[in-house]
Amino acid sequence: MPASADRPFAGRPPGASASASDCEMKKLRNLAIATGVGAALFLLLAYLEVSTPGLDLGATKYVLPMVLSSGLFAGLNARAGNRRVPVANDARKAELLGFPPRDGCGWVVMVRDKATVASSLGFDVAVDNKVITQLMPKRFTMIALPSGTHQLFADVAGAPGASAIAPLDVAIRPGEILIFAIRASMGLMRTSLRLDPAADSPAMRRALARMQLVEPEGQGS
């Protein structure tokens, strides 16, 4: 049976995002965009104040561009963590949803359903401290794991800090199928993720058949 770890998890697994140099370049580009938008808004407000008799915008012409550019910078940085991942075709998905037996292994499925929170952001999915793929809404991934204890983790790609409260330790037996739904909740400063166990029911199988399957990186046939 899966058992949740209740200890804090301060870091992000290796490979969760692009290389450091790529990330820095994206941040610099995003900073330039956000600064340009903020400066353009400031110039527009200043022009309106000068050209409109009796109009005094006061501190608004300074505060509004700062707030807008800060929000835009944060949003661009969050989206910068998204990446393209290959989606399995229908035949391959049907094959894997038959959960073909693998010697000494069980199956772990992680599902991201239709999102109401962070729908534009990819969620990195990691197993045993290695990122295996990224999920957008209405997608799932599945991986065959050797029997024993494994650690699952989900995180918002590109986020400045870990978004999950803790990883999830699960024990799996040969032939067992464990399904987890990635749930997101919006906090004041960041999005928090958790992995909730879900039943391997006919309804769940039908729901998976309607979603797109993203195979883990490096998983063989």
Side-chain angles (χ1 to χ4, degrees):
M1 294 295 292
S4 174
D6 55 6
R7 62 186 181 280
F9 186 69
R12 177 182 285 113
S17 57
S19 66
S21 59
D22 288 343
C23 289
E24 289 304 316
M25 288 299 296
K26 287 180 179 180
K27 287 182 179 179
L28 288 174
R29 181 197 63 190
N30 295 338
L31 179 60
I33 293 172
T35 301
V37 171
L41 179 58
F42 170 75
L43 292 174
L44 175 62
L45 294 176
Y47 172 78
L48 289 175
E49 187 177 44
V50 171
S51 60
T52 305
L55 179 62
D56 182 9
L57 295 175
T60 301
K61 63 178 177 288
Y62 302 105
V63 175
L64 187 58
M66 289 177 59
V67 171
L68 177 64
S69 59
S70 297
L72 180 59
F73 181 58
L76 290 172
N77 280 342
R79 289 179 63 91
N82 292 357
R83 61 184 186 274
R84 293 181 181 274
V85 292
V87 176
N89 59 34
D90 289 343
R92 177 64 172 166
K93 180 173 68 173
E95 174 191 349
L96 289 179
L97 283 179
F99 295 97
R102 303 278 177 91
D103 290 343
C105 293
W107 285 96
V108 169
V109 180
M110 283 176 278
V111 185
R112 184 180 177 189
D113 56 12
K114 185 177 180 180
T116 56
V117 174
S119 60
S120 63
L121 305 180
F123 291 173
D124 282 334
V125 175
V127 175
D128 295 334
N129 212 35
K130 178 183 178 182
V131 172
I132 60 170
T133 194
Q134 185 178 99
L135 295 179
M136 297 299 289
K138 301 180 71 173
R139 290 184 175 184
F140 72 99
T141 191
M142 54 192 298
I143 185 170
L145 295 175
S147 62
T149 301
H150 299 274
Q151 191 174 85
L152 312 181
F153 183 72
D155 193 21
V156 177
S163 303
I165 297 173
L168 186 72
D169 293 327
V170 299
I172 190 166
R173 300 185 295 268
E176 189 174 20
I177 299 170
L178 300 178
I179 302 176
F180 299 91
I182 303 175
R183 311 291 188 193
S185 58
M186 185 67 75
L188 184 62
M189 299 298 294
R190 65 180 183 181
T191 300
S192 295
L193 305 183
R194 68 181 189 275
L195 291 166
D196 290 343
D200 178 22
S201 63
M204 175 58 75
R205 296 286 185 103
R206 290 193 295 270
L208 292 176
R210 292 192 297 268
M211 295 182 182
Q212 291 183 309
L213 167 63
V214 181
E215 290 194 68
E217 298 170 5
Q219 175 166 278
S221 58

